[in-house]
Amino acid sequence: MEILDKDLAFLAKCRNEELRVLCDILTYDRNGMLRYAEQLTGSDAYLLHYPMEMSQMAGEIADELCKFGSNTVVTYFRKGVPDCYETVVQRVCRQMKVQTESGEDVASMERKLLQKVCEDAVEQMSEEQIRELADEIGIKEKDLMPQFVITVLMRLMSRNPKLWARVIRGVIRVVLLDFGGRRVAMKGLERVLGVAAGPLGTLVMTLWTIWDIASPAYRVCIPAVLQVGLMRMDKTPRLWGRRAA
């Protein structure tokens, strides 16, 4: 299937392991069971190309993601045509209380979303974890409050894209491990995102308790959009040279 959504067209050029992680997020829950509403695993494309030729089913993956982020009834009356990915990202941002501007592009919204996840994670860290993170990024002050660490971290990341990418990968890796996607894909996830060093691997273990995700669809859409954001970051690093305002 051709990818019709312009904001997801780049998926066809992503690495096999990245696409497999995204596919597994859409099809399997955190217990390794098939999601009730998923439609990918029964498709011809899945049976032919999973798990070694994921680019050949990039269109089906994109379509499945947009369907999870759309209203089922509305999609039915559109003869199966879901909302565009831009609309899905906007909904995820609203759910995560991320402010976006009218007409803002998808990459910018994804960047803000990833930043918000980092901020939420730091705010939930223990004093010991905050101290470890501060030591790792070179903050020498003894008495630290989470908001101070966030401010310094965001400032450092705005000046150092490599640090930004490192923190993002460390945080999102753990989010995805906790949020969804079948366990068999997690080794691939570690290779794609990299193993987080020090406290970065523990930043978001409490996010389930601070995010109120009532709709089962959001349990799919949020980690899926985070994964797409990471994939876009790898494909278009120039967009991530500085953090979102």
Side-chain angles (χ1 to χ4, degrees):
M1 176 190 296
E2 180 184 358
I3 301 178
L4 300 178
D5 194 303
K6 62 180 178 62
D7 291 311
L8 292 176
F10 81 100
L11 292 181
K13 298 180 181 179
C14 289
R15 296 194 299 271
N16 195 78
E17 287 181 345
E18 293 177 313
L19 288 167
R20 183 182 174 187
V21 170
L22 179 57
C23 180
D24 284 350
I25 289 170
L26 295 170
T27 53
Y28 287 85
D29 64 23
R30 64 201 302 249
N31 297 315
M33 304 297 292
L34 280 173
R35 297 190 186 279
Y36 177 75
E38 68 86 17
Q39 299 177 28
L40 265 179
T41 58
S43 67
D44 290 341
Y46 187 95
L47 297 174
L48 285 171
H49 302 298
Y50 183 92
M52 302 305 297
E53 299 177 315
M54 299 302 299
S55 63
Q56 299 299 311
M57 56 177 294
E60 283 78 5
I61 293 172
D63 186 63
E64 184 84 342
L65 169 54
C66 290
K67 283 180 178 177
F68 267 113
S70 303
N71 182 288
T72 304
V73 175
V74 174
T75 301
Y76 174 81
F77 283 106
R78 287 183 187 155
K79 298 181 179 180
V81 178
D83 289 327
C84 65
Y85 179 69
E86 180 180 2
T87 299
V88 174
V89 176
Q90 289 171 341
R91 287 181 179 139
V92 168
C93 285
R94 283 197 299 270
Q95 180 71 19
M96 297 293 291
K97 298 179 174 58
V98 174
Q99 289 189 335
T100 60
E101 305 295 332
S102 176
E104 189 168 4
D105 64 85
V106 163
S108 177
M109 289 189 288
E110 289 173 343
R111 190 165 59 241
K112 286 182 177 180
L113 180 63
L114 293 172
Q115 177 184 323
K116 176 64 160 54
V117 170
C118 281
E119 293 176 354
D120 285 352
V122 174
E123 288 177 349
Q124 295 302 310
M125 291 170 67
S126 67
E127 290 185 11
E128 181 179 357
Q129 290 171 330
I130 291 174
R131 181 68 266 170
E132 290 176 353
L133 178 60
D135 288 341
E136 185 170 329
I137 63 178
I139 301 174
K140 303 302 182 182
E141 284 78 2
K142 298 297 183 182
D143 298 321
L144 300 174
M145 298 294 291
Q147 193 56 49
F148 173 78
V149 176
I150 290 172
T151 300
V152 175
L153 183 61
M154 293 300 113
R155 186 182 302 126
L156 289 173
M157 289 196 300
S158 70
R159 299 173 182 172
N160 187 342
K162 290 184 178 179
L163 176 62
W164 164 248
R166 179 187 176 195
V167 173
I168 286 293
R169 283 183 173 84
V171 170
I172 303 306
R173 169 182 169 265
V174 182
V175 171
L176 297 181
L177 282 169
D178 192 43
F179 241 120
R182 145 169 90 160
R183 293 302 176 190
V184 73
M186 292 303 104
K187 289 184 179 179
L189 182 62
E190 290 181 2
R191 290 195 298 272
V192 172
L193 305 184
V195 177
L200 297 183
T202 62
L203 289 182
V204 293
M205 295 309 291
T206 58
L207 285 183
W208 273 110
T209 64
I210 63 173
W211 285 343
D212 180 18
I213 304 170
S215 168
Y218 279 114
R219 296 190 181 101
V220 183
C221 287
I222 292 175
V225 169
L226 292 174
Q227 171 66 3
V228 171
L230 283 172
M231 294 163 73
R232 196 185 309 277
M233 182 173 70
D234 284 340
K235 297 300 290 186
T236 54
R238 62 182 177 79
L239 298 177
W240 301 83
R242 61 183 179 84
R243 69 177 181 88

